[in-house]
Amino acid sequence: QKEVEQNSGPLSVPEGAIASLNCTYSDRGSQSFFWYRQYSGKSPELIMSIYSNGDKEDGRFTAQLNKASQYVSLLIRDSQPSDSATYLCAVNPAAGGSYIPTFGRGTSLIVHP
Amino acid sequence: SQTIHQWPATLVQPVGSPLSLECTVEGTSNPNLYWYRQAAGRGLQLLFYSVGIGQISSEVPQNLSASRPQDRQFILSSKKLLLSDSGFYLCASNLLGGGEQYFGPGTRLTVT
């Protein structure tokens, strides 16, 4: 059974700090990896996607992928109170077809002023 | 870019009543469509997905069903709701060949 594990948190960081969110996955053949942000009571919003080993930066967000170790992480620099949300990691399995991602249960991030 | 619409936004239904939730997608054609449920404080549970008109795959056997009568329309139904059907129902779409999923605003269902 494919699994995606995330620490449920909450992860509490002060405003301006770097928040580091981690995710591990069990399917070694996984091809693509995503981070979603979900504010309380709202639907998930895609914020980052990463497909190859290494870092991918987009503004204050950096996604890091290490396929050998089967983990993907999200760094949020200069954290703001508006970043307080639950962050979901999603992993797509190997091969094409219907793209059924496996989601982690999310990490709650609290950025306090 | 694609836009996903869901209605209603909120719904309160008694146990044993029927259900129909609708999802429509704009700005794309032939998308893969998905229904998820998120119970309070829980993760996303995939209920159904569809790769084309009339093609529905069920992930979790239960009293829910789904239909895709048109390319960009996806409907979630139930003949008789259970208390355990309460939750936040999300429709999602991704382009054929793409991995990113985009979610609609969701329907919050409370079964009383």
Side-chain angles (χ1 to χ4, degrees):
Chain A
Q1 184 176 358
K2 303 181 183 69
E3 294 182 344
V4 175
E5 300 288 341
Q6 295 182 256
N7 188 320
S8 62
L11 173 65
S12 181
V13 301
E15 184 175 356
I18 296 175
S20 178
L21 305 163
N22 300 311
C23 170
T24 60
Y25 59 94
S26 63
D27 184 358
R28 182 169 290 278
S30 297
Q31 299 281 4
S32 50
F33 307 85
F34 308 93
W35 283 99
Y36 293 82
R37 177 177 61 200
Q38 186 174 22
Y39 291 115
S40 180
K42 302 296 185 181
S43 61
E45 172 193 13
L46 179 68
I47 55 173
M48 289 289 287
S49 58
I50 188 166
Y51 299 89
S52 53
N53 279 328
D55 295 359
K56 179 181 178 182
E57 186 174 319
D58 184 0
R60 295 186 297 111
F61 298 100
T62 299
Q64 299 175 318
L65 174 61
N66 185 322
K67 288 187 177 180
S69 300
Q70 294 176 244
Y71 84 77
V72 57
S73 61
L74 179 70
L75 301 179
I76 306 175
R77 290 182 300 281
D78 188 24
S79 295
Q80 301 297 310
S82 58
D83 295 325
S84 298
T86 296
Y87 290 79
L88 304 175
C89 172
V91 176
N92 263 343
S98 52
Y99 290 97
I100 307 298
T102 300
F103 282 84
R105 297 185 65 169
T107 297
S108 174
L109 172 67
I110 299 172
V111 181
H112 52 88
Chain B
S1 63
Q2 56 183 306
T3 303
I4 302 174
H5 302 280
Q6 286 187 249
W7 62 90
T10 60
L11 193 58
V12 179
Q13 292 284 92
V15 168
S17 64
L19 174 73
S20 181
L21 303 181
E22 188 163 345
C23 168
T24 58
V25 182
E26 290 181 2
T28 185
S29 59
N30 197 25
N32 292 335
L33 296 175
Y34 306 78
W35 279 113
Y36 289 90
R37 178 171 62 202
Q38 190 175 40
R42 305 289 296 275
L44 288 171
Q45 178 186 28
L46 179 64
L47 302 175
F48 300 95
Y49 69 92
S50 171
V51 299
I53 296 174
Q55 300 179 66
I56 308 294
S57 296
S58 173
E59 290 294 303
V60 182
Q62 53 201 326
N63 67 318
L64 300 174
S65 61
S67 62
R68 185 169 177 175
Q70 300 180 44
D71 180 46
R72 290 173 288 177
Q73 184 184 29
F74 204 21
I75 297 172
L76 181 70
S77 303
S78 174
K79 292 182 179 178
K80 288 186 178 181
L81 284 168
L82 307 173
L83 284 175
S84 57
D85 291 324
S86 293
F88 191 35
Y89 286 81
L90 292 157
C91 178
S93 164
N94 71 335
L95 299 177
L96 195 63
E100 296 89 351
Q101 282 196 330
Y102 298 92
F103 288 84
T107 295
R108 190 161 304 281
L109 171 66
T110 303
V111 182
T112 61

